[in-house]
Amino acid sequence: QVQLVESGGGLVQPGGSLRLSCAASGFTLSGFGMHWVRQAPGKGLEWVASIYYDGTKEYYRDSVKGRFTISRDISMNTLSLQMNSLRGDDTAIYYCAKDGIYHGSGSFFSSWGQGTLVTVSS
Amino acid sequence: DIVMTQSPDSLAVSLGERATINCKSSQSVLYSSNNRNYLAWYQQKPGQPPKLLISWASTRESGVPDRFSGSGSGTDFTLTISSLQAEDVAVYYCQQYYSTPLGFTFGQGTKLAIK
């Protein structure tokens, strides 16, 4: 069955960097778009970034453009999120999520990982 | 950006009674070429990631109990739990994917509790 396992979260100072990973199993990343969604403590869900099923396109919310980069390693079946110039309002649980449609352009999020906590604080 | 607004923010319902959560989008999420509403519902229990319940406004995911149903079209949508069970206590979110792939937006969430 589909499994997504995030790692790489932790405490980082403002202006610092962090790289999150999401190990996927039960399916191949080359068939599905993938997403990062975050949730600040006690708050709602916020889409962060997406990558096309074929890796040719990436999309970001405005507040992370130029600071975050989504990527994937097909050989390792792993999704990544490189986060630079981190700010306090980036503090959140970061979830990776699998798109719901095979070879789709982005839709609902059919499977989610357990999340990894990123805390940006001095 | 399409703004999703849920109502109410919180809701308390007795066991076995009906629970209704509303979601309104700032513009239509009905795609005319295929007549499908690009709207999903998720359930998030405390300490857990969200779980997809319904896609395309009314298509229940495999394994989701049939007491959960989705309805609506265009800009107004409803998630109904026909007979509330204790395990349904959670926060429920709607999400639009009409503006894919340029962005996805969620409602602010509705917290459902037992009265």
Side-chain angles (χ1 to χ4, degrees):
Chain A
Q1 73 280 19
V2 171
Q3 190 171 14
L4 299 167
V5 179
E6 301 95 337
S7 61
L11 175 63
V12 60
Q13 292 189 338
S17 298
L18 214 53
R19 187 177 182 87
L20 306 183
S21 294
C22 172
S25 58
F27 72 103
T28 176
L29 291 187
S30 60
F32 294 86
M34 292 294 293
H35 312 275
W36 288 98
V37 177
R38 68 186 180 185
Q39 187 169 35
K43 302 297 185 183
L45 302 169
E46 181 176 82
W47 167 76
V48 174
S50 300
I51 187 165
Y52 250 40
Y53 70 92
D54 60 3
T56 58
K57 294 184 177 69
E58 304 156 24
Y59 298 92
Y60 303 90
R61 69 178 302 103
D62 286 346
S63 63
V64 308
K65 279 180 186 174
R67 301 190 298 124
F68 290 12
T69 302
I70 187 172
S71 63
R72 63 187 200 157
D73 183 335
I74 294 298
S75 65
M76 299 291 290
N77 218 36
T78 298
L79 178 74
S80 295
L81 184 69
Q82 177 66 42
M83 304 186 296
N84 299 329
S85 302
L86 283 161
R87 313 185 306 216
D89 59 358
D90 295 318
T91 294
I93 296 172
Y94 284 72
Y95 297 101
C96 68
K98 171 182 168 287
D99 195 77
I101 299 177
Y102 179 75
H103 281 199
S105 61
S107 65
F108 47 91
F109 307 146
S110 59
S111 298
W112 298 63
Q114 288 296 314
T116 187
L117 177 62
V118 172
T119 304
V120 183
S121 175
S122 55
Chain B
D1 288 3
I2 299 177
V3 177
M4 308 300 291
T5 303
Q6 293 181 226
S7 62
D9 290 335
S10 63
L11 180 64
V13 174
S14 301
L15 289 173
E17 295 300 305
R18 178 185 299 260
T20 301
I21 298 170
N22 301 301
C23 175
K24 189 175 184 67
S25 57
S26 61
Q27 65 184 73
S28 177
V29 298
L30 173 63
Y31 200 44
S32 56
S33 65
N34 59 12
N35 201 38
R36 302 188 91 168
N37 287 283
Y38 284 51
L39 190 285
W41 288 97
Y42 300 86
Q43 174 193 64
Q44 187 177 31
K45 296 182 179 180
Q48 295 185 20
K51 173 189 173 183
L52 176 66
L53 296 176
I54 288 170
S55 59
W56 307 115
S58 60
T59 301
R60 205 167 36 244
E61 287 298 293
S62 173
V64 173
D66 61 6
R67 63 180 180 274
F68 290 90
S69 63
S71 62
S73 185
T75 61
D76 292 282
F77 300 90
T78 300
L79 174 70
T80 301
I81 307 172
S82 60
S83 176
L84 188 70
Q85 305 299 304
E87 61 264 32
D88 300 334
V89 168
V91 178
Y92 292 85
Y93 295 92
C94 61
Q95 175 230 341
Q96 67 80 18
Y97 44 103
Y98 181 88
S99 53
T100 179
L102 299 179
F104 308 87
T105 46
F106 293 88
Q108 79 276 19
T110 295
K111 187 172 185 177
L112 177 59
I114 305 293
K115 186 188 291 184

